[in-house]
């Protein structure tokens, strides 16, 4: 059974990202978008996504939206920053 952890990211514009979209690190699928909604103040969009539990990096890492392909829609690329 795969264990997952849940993370959140805030965006001004999600540019067509949908629930179920892939989350990748260096092109490898490591998770999925689980939920998209407004944050508590309704001024940002909060994206909740799962990642494999065995991945560990700083909370200063970046979750960047990118075009997955011509018909693939948007995905999230995690650009990890590792704690020293």
């Amino acid at each position: 059974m795969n264990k997952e952890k849940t993370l959140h990211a805030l965006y001004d514009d999600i540019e067509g990202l949908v629930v179920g979209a892939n989350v990748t690190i260096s092109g490898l699928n490591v998770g999925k978008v689980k939920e998209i909604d407004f944050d508590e103040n309704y001024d940002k969009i909060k994206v909740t996504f799962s990642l494999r539990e065995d991945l560990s990096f700083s909370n200063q890492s970046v979750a960047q939206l990118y075009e997955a392909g011509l018909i693939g829609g948007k995905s999230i690329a995690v650009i990890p920053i590792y704690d020293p």
Side-chain angles (χ1 to χ4, degrees):
M1 177 178 171
N2 286 352
K3 296 199 179 242
E4 298 178 335
K5 57 184 166 187
T6 301
L7 300 172
H8 309 280
L10 296 176
Y11 299 95
D12 291 321
D13 184 345
I14 57 168
E15 305 169 14
L17 185 72
V18 295
V19 170
N22 289 328
V23 178
T24 65
I25 295 178
S26 299
L28 178 67
N29 280 343
V30 293
K32 293 274 186 199
V33 173
K34 297 294 187 186
E35 185 178 346
I36 300 172
D37 205 347
F38 288 103
D39 70 350
E40 307 79 39
N41 301 318
Y42 290 87
D43 60 351
K44 298 270 188 191
I45 298 172
K46 180 179 177 181
V47 176
T48 303
F49 57 95
S50 66
L51 278 186
R52 290 180 3 201
E53 190 176 57
D54 63 329
L55 300 171
S56 181
F57 43 80
S58 165
N59 64 0
Q60 299 301 308
S61 299
V62 176
Q64 180 177 335
L65 296 177
Y66 74 98
E67 193 75 42
L70 293 176
I71 57 172
K74 294 288 182 178
S75 293
I76 296 177
V78 174
I79 302 163
I81 296 173
Y82 298 100
D83 290 322

